[in-house]
Amino acid sequence: MILVTGATGLNGKAIVREFARQKHAVRALVRDLDQASAAGLGELAGVDLVEGDMSRAETLSSALDGIDRVLMISTAADDMTETQCRFIDACRTAGVEHVVKFSGAESNIGYDATKFRFTRMHEEVERYLEAAGMAWTHLRPSQFMQVYLRDAPTIAAEGAFYLALGETELSPVDVEDIAKVAFRLLSDGGHEGESLDMTGPEALTMTDIAARISQAIGKPVRYVDISPEQRRRNLLAAGIPAGFADALDEQLAERRRRPKSRVHLATHEMFGVKPTPFVEFAQRHAAMFGGVA
């Protein structure tokens, strides 16, 4: 039996939906059953929703009962390390055999993971899991293509999006690709003791991203380069907490320092998943980028 945590988040939800598409039973840990139902998870055949809190072992007995393999995902937050390490302890106590950590690895060549607090946290949790005495695997995707959907309102209204990356390249990966890999990894097993990096199939500047969205929607789209200071002001104006904006500033500074990006498709190939090009992703979401959704 397989458990997926963080099932109402971007990746968790996509992975649970992939289990349902494949008609494979899965248990999904959520903090709030009503929220999970509102997200459509309650309608999925073969999905057993269980309420619990990853950081509180006393709430996890039903979720972990009879579970052999776990995919561990939690929100990128200040308490991520503590939350995931406590959950690892609960898995060990419950007799879980294999924990797959949904981790992360930046695609920029030479990127120093210690310079960005969330990649630093991921590596701390990875080390804790490796020493916990269970089989482990780290699934380490780079930036998600879906983050560009946040820019859809200005793309639709102004034909432009505003970031502070200059000519820095990124190699974003489609969350749907990650979900397919995660399903295969969890359902088939194996790959114990492996770290599986994932990127998308292209290293793209933001100008490249704009061109591909333009191609998908049939309208001109521009990338407008702004200063890191303006970008921070935009984040705060959008309601992003100052602490999270600080973390994104760290990430941006290291990306700008290491502007070339690698493409790593070995994990796609290993699991027989065709890498999604960015233009295909943009075509799938053309209504949103074009302002008609």
Side-chain angles (χ1 to χ4, degrees), residues 9-293:
L10 174 66
N11 283 279
K13 185 160 57 176
I15 292 163
V16 170
R17 289 185 184 279
E18 183 65 21
F19 270 88
R21 277 194 292 268
Q22 298 292 342
K23 297 180 171 53
H24 192 298
V26 68
R27 190 176 296 166
L29 178 68
V30 298
R31 285 188 174 182
D32 187 311
L33 288 175
D34 291 337
Q35 180 185 356
S37 296
L41 296 181
E43 304 167 2
L44 298 177
V47 177
D48 176 23
L49 293 177
V50 180
E51 197 171 60
D53 185 332
M54 290 176 65
S55 64
R56 297 170 54 214
E58 67 273 16
T59 71
L60 298 173
S61 57
S62 295
L64 291 172
D65 182 39
I67 291 294
D68 304 298
R69 197 171 297 131
V70 168
L71 178 65
M72 179 177 65
I73 312 176
S74 70
T75 303
D78 288 342
D79 64 350
M80 183 176 74
T81 301
E82 181 180 16
T83 294
Q84 294 196 2
C85 289
R86 286 184 176 180
F87 182 73
I88 289 166
D89 291 342
C91 288
R92 181 175 54 213
T93 299
V96 172
E97 296 177 2
H98 186 180
V99 175
V100 177
K101 171 170 167 49
F102 194 100
S103 193
E106 292 279 335
S107 63
N108 299 84
I109 298 168
Y111 191 101
D112 184 350
T114 66
K115 297 290 180 65
F116 174 40
R117 66 191 66 181
F118 292 120
T119 49
R120 187 166 64 242
M121 289 179 185
H122 278 312
E123 292 196 346
E124 290 170 359
V125 176
E126 287 178 359
R127 289 192 292 271
Y128 190 86
L129 175 57
E130 289 166 14
M134 296 172 286
W136 58 267
T137 307
H138 305 319
L139 183 59
R140 307 174 82 210
S142 64
Q143 182 200 43
F144 313 130
M145 290 182 182
Q146 278 71 6
V147 302
Y148 295 95
L149 296 176
R150 300 171 190 166
D151 298 300
T154 62
I155 291 171
E158 305 172 30
F161 63 103
Y162 303 81
L163 293 170
L165 282 160
E167 291 301 308
T168 297
E169 295 175 348
L170 297 172
S171 302
V173 60
D174 189 354
V175 163
E176 296 300 324
D177 291 4
I178 302 169
K180 291 171 185 175
V181 166
F183 168 75
R184 289 286 309 278
L185 173 60
L186 291 161
S187 60
D188 294 349
H191 302 281
E192 292 91 344
E194 296 181 14
S195 294
L196 305 174
D197 287 13
M198 290 185 71
T199 74
E202 304 165 283
L204 302 171
T205 66
M206 294 306 101
T207 301
D208 296 331
I209 295 284
R212 282 155 176 76
I213 297 173
S214 179
Q215 179 183 344
I217 67 176
K219 297 177 182 178
V221 175
R222 296 177 297 120
Y223 164 58
V224 180
D225 192 43
I226 60 176
S227 69
E229 294 75 21
Q230 181 60 54
R231 187 247 197 175
R232 180 181 176 83
R233 288 193 292 271
N234 292 349
L235 291 172
L236 296 175
I240 299 296
F244 197 77
D246 291 342
L248 295 178
D249 286 345
E250 296 169 357
Q251 181 188 51
L252 175 63
E254 188 63 10
R255 283 177 171 174
R256 286 165 62 96
R257 193 174 75 88
R258 299 292 188 180
K260 302 303 290 183
S261 186
R262 68 193 173 113
V263 169
H264 182 88
L265 299 179
T267 300
H268 281 82
E269 294 163 2
M270 185 182 301
F271 292 95
V273 174
K274 177 182 175 292
T276 300
F278 193 93
V279 69
E280 185 178 312
F281 162 79
Q283 288 166 344
R284 199 167 76 232
H285 296 281
M288 185 175 294
F289 284 125
V292 296

